[in-house]
Amino acid sequence: EIYTLSLHDALPISIHVAAAPNMLAILNGLLLDNMEEPWTAFSDIQAMPRGQIWRIGPDGRATVDEYWNLLDALDPDRVRANGRLSLANASAQLDERLGESVRTHLQSDGPVAVFVSGGLDSGMLSAYAHRLVPDLLGFAADVEGAKPELERALAVGRHLNMPIEPVRVSFDDYLRAWPEAVFHEEIPLCVASDPAVLLLSRAVQRAGRKVALTGEGADELLCGYPWQAQAGPAWRWPRHE
């Protein structure tokens, strides 16, 4: 987005002038697998924090309006009430809300695809989407030298009776895609799967699919990794008898 915005005539910046690297932000991103807002990889360029609208006037000054804040949206009474739900009720609510969320993301004027890794998040997403889109087509990366995910993805496909299209990614393919992925994301890559995701996206495009659902970012919701599951008890509200 930084590069695209820098080409707009209305903005008095040039990526070629303001592209000095912010080494502190880059180091932070590489160490923590995340670049904290408002840092970007470039000096003198800040990221707009989530939940804000910036209005830039003719004089170049910006006014900031915050339309959403997580802490303001947090309802302690609702959190406590959810903690008293039975497992059956909690599961039913989660099932309903996940299904509705997937449904709203399936709007397309063409055939839909889904990325399948065989993990919890993409497998769950595929199951919900396949209920609504019978001709759903799955795509799975088979990356040379990486942990084998293709067999698990194919197992998901067999379970759902959904075809899976393997995308072979050689080590050379992966290395060639790396700098292009950095270019598009405008930050040093903290997630090793990003080049493979780029190649998967191209395979989806070649197959004529306009929309592809992924499980990216779902680990926080479904505790897809052990350390996330272990963090759950630490965030529970203390119970006072």
Side-chain angles (χ1 to χ4, degrees):
E1 294 181 358
I2 294 175
Y3 178 76
T4 303
L5 289 172
S6 72
L7 300 178
H8 199 289
D9 295 336
L11 296 179
I13 64 171
S14 170
I15 194 65
H16 303 291
V17 174
N22 184 337
M23 298 307 298
L24 181 59
I26 292 173
L27 179 61
N28 180 83
L30 293 174
L31 289 176
L32 302 179
D33 290 346
N34 183 36
M35 192 167 292
E36 296 291 338
E37 297 171 347
W39 279 351
T40 70
F42 306 102
S43 298
D44 301 322
I45 298 180
Q46 293 186 352
M48 184 168 63
R50 297 172 180 85
Q52 291 188 1
I53 296 176
W54 290 13
R55 295 181 174 85
I56 303 175
D59 58 356
R61 294 183 179 181
T63 58
V64 180
D65 294 320
E66 185 177 66
Y67 64 87
W68 186 84
N69 185 294
L70 175 61
L71 295 181
D72 293 338
L74 186 64
D75 184 350
D77 293 332
R78 182 178 178 183
V79 172
R80 282 192 287 266
N82 287 340
R84 293 189 290 268
L85 287 175
S86 68
L87 178 60
N89 286 338
S91 299
Q93 287 190 24
L94 179 62
D95 179 57
E96 179 183 356
R97 292 171 185 176
L98 280 177
E100 177 62 16
S101 178
V102 172
R103 186 192 65 78
T104 60
H105 286 82
L106 286 173
Q107 299 181 30
S108 172
D109 60 355
V112 180
V114 62
F115 291 177
V116 185
S117 68
L120 175 64
D121 39 351
S122 69
M124 186 88 92
L125 175 64
S126 299
Y128 281 106
H130 192 249
R131 292 180 188 172
L132 302 167
V133 183
D135 65 343
L136 187 68
L137 177 60
F139 287 79
D142 184 16
V143 183
E144 178 185 358
K147 61 181 181 180
E149 295 185 341
L150 181 59
E151 287 304 317
R152 293 201 300 264
L154 293 174
V156 171
R158 289 191 297 269
H159 179 72
L160 299 176
N161 195 26
M162 178 183 72
I164 301 291
E165 186 73 27
V167 178
R168 312 291 178 181
V169 180
S170 70
F171 188 63
D172 288 344
D173 294 334
Y174 181 86
L175 290 181
R176 281 193 292 267
W178 187 285
E180 190 172 357
V182 173
F183 174 82
H184 288 299
E185 296 202 21
E186 299 177 343
I187 59 173
L189 296 187
C190 301
V191 181
S193 63
D194 287 348
V197 171
L198 174 62
L199 297 174
L200 272 177
S201 300
R202 287 181 175 160
V204 169
Q205 185 182 45
R206 289 194 300 269
R209 305 268 163 162
K210 292 185 177 182
V211 173
L213 302 181
T214 78
E216 299 292 321
D219 295 311
E220 291 79 0
L221 176 63
L222 301 176
C223 297
Y225 294 99
W227 65 268
Q228 290 166 328
Q230 294 165 3
W235 286 92
R236 288 180 179 171
W237 286 76
R239 296 189 176 184
H240 302 286
E241 299 298 337

